Amino acid sequence: LFAIFAFATCGGYSGELRLSVDCANKSESDFSIDIAFAYPFRLHEVNFDVPTCEGKRREKLSLIGDFSSSAEFFVTIAVFAFLYSLAATVVYIFFQNKYRENNRGPLIDFIVTVVFSFLWLVSSSAWAKGLSDVKIATDPDEVLLLLSACKQQSNKCLPVRSPVMSSLNTSVVFGYLNFILWAGNIWFVFKETGWHSSGQRHPPDTMEKQPSSYNQGGYNQDSYGPAGGYNQQGSYGQVDEYGQSQSYSQSGPTSFSNQI
């Protein structure tokens, strides 16, 4: 829809300006000189006749400038963007399996989206500059400077009506809106590609908990062997070098005994 608005407001434009030449001899005057122009804005091909205020002789003039390159470039990008969007919509709806096969569809879609984003920016900027030049070339005050009759102070030349450029201004706005739309869509298309999934990193698995008890080198959390041991009831036993068994309490030196 944005592409349609872009090329429709530019490619379908036609405008007109009107001048008035009031000669010293009223019979030679022309108060309604209409100059029409349209897309693709080859203004040097727009011809019009104006009085010279020197008898009945009239001179043939033309506007200045050729701005067809930027205008046609803008419209061409808009038309191709519309056609690609239409084709992509059909593929998304009816050929989803083919689109995701071998990841080729998302990659092509991603590359084309990037290219169109760049082209929208370039074409919109070029057409914005071209439109500025068109406005200057079709300004009635500027066109009056081309008339030889207006160079004589005895004659009065006035601009009657200026061309309406609102639709052309709208086309430039839609051009930049299309750039924002396509550039923003790059991220969503990128997520469909394999590049996005391969770039993800999963967090490492948590370490397994250490066992609550282990037996290593004759040590057991629950008890030692006959030579000595520790138990959860709070007692600790040990045999000294004289064969005496000594017992200590976990809570402190409250009980102490020697047994032979």
Side-chain angles (χ1 to χ4, degrees):
L1 290 177
F2 276 51
I4 292 175
F5 290 138
F7 70 74
T9 52
C10 179
Y13 177 82
S14 61
E16 185 181 71
L17 60 100
R18 178 173 296 178
L19 307 176
S20 173
V21 178
D22 186 7
C23 300
N25 186 357
K26 301 299 182 181
S27 61
E28 301 172 358
S29 301
D30 190 345
F31 299 102
S32 181
I33 304 174
D34 295 326
I35 305 174
F37 62 96
Y39 173 85
F41 308 104
R42 294 187 178 94
L43 301 183
H44 65 284
E45 298 178 356
V46 178
N47 301 318
F48 56 96
D49 295 333
V50 294
T52 59
C53 296
E54 296 177 355
K56 297 295 183 179
R57 188 173 64 88
R58 299 176 68 91
E59 62 178 344
K60 187 175 183 178
L61 301 174
S62 62
L63 297 178
I64 298 176
D66 182 6
F67 311 100
S68 59
S69 59
S70 59
E72 289 176 339
F73 178 47
F74 178 79
V75 172
T76 300
I77 297 302
V79 171
F80 277 106
F82 163 72
L83 295 177
Y84 178 78
S85 300
L86 188 62
T89 303
V90 174
V91 172
Y92 293 158
I93 297 176
F94 299 104
F95 303 98
Q96 186 66 227
N97 294 332
K98 286 288 185 180
Y99 174 78
R100 296 182 181 275
E101 184 178 358
N102 299 326
N103 203 34
R104 183 178 301 176
L107 290 179
I108 296 176
D109 196 13
F110 173 77
I111 295 173
V112 173
T113 302
V114 172
V115 171
F116 266 114
S117 300
F118 174 74
L119 292 177
W120 272 117
L121 177 62
V122 174
S123 62
S124 299
S125 300
W127 172 229
K129 178 60 171 63
L131 176 58
S132 177
D133 296 335
V134 169
K135 291 180 178 180
I136 295 175
T138 57
D139 187 357
D141 293 326
E142 296 293 330
V143 177
L144 288 175
L145 299 177
L146 303 176
L147 279 61
S148 59
C150 299
K151 299 177 182 179
Q152 302 177 11
Q153 296 182 352
S154 58
N155 304 321
K156 295 181 181 180
C157 299
L158 298 174
V160 178
R161 185 175 61 197
S162 300
V164 180
M165 299 287 188
S166 57
S167 63
L168 295 181
N169 295 332
T170 304
S171 67
V172 174
V173 173
F174 273 109
Y176 284 110
L177 287 178
N178 273 283
F179 162 69
I180 297 174
L181 181 65
W182 283 79
N185 197 44
I186 291 177
W187 167 247
F188 298 99
V189 181
F190 175 75
K191 290 174 64 177
E192 299 290 334
T193 63
W195 298 335
H196 174 71
S197 58
S198 62
Q200 290 180 339
R201 293 292 182 269
H202 298 285
D205 296 333
T206 57
M207 297 179 61
E208 295 182 356
K209 295 182 179 180
Q210 295 182 353
S212 59
S213 64
Y214 60 92
N215 189 349
Q216 181 178 1
Y219 170 77
N220 192 306
Q221 187 177 9
D222 295 333
S223 63
Y224 284 102
Y230 169 80
N231 53 57
Q232 294 181 351
Q233 282 73 18
S235 63
Y236 175 80
Q238 183 177 359
V239 177
D240 59 12
E241 59 182 348
Y242 301 104
Q244 295 177 338
S245 176
Q246 298 176 352
S247 176
Y248 301 92
S249 174
Q250 184 182 13
S251 59
T254 58
S255 64
F256 176 78
S257 64
N258 294 327
Q259 298 178 358
I260 300 175

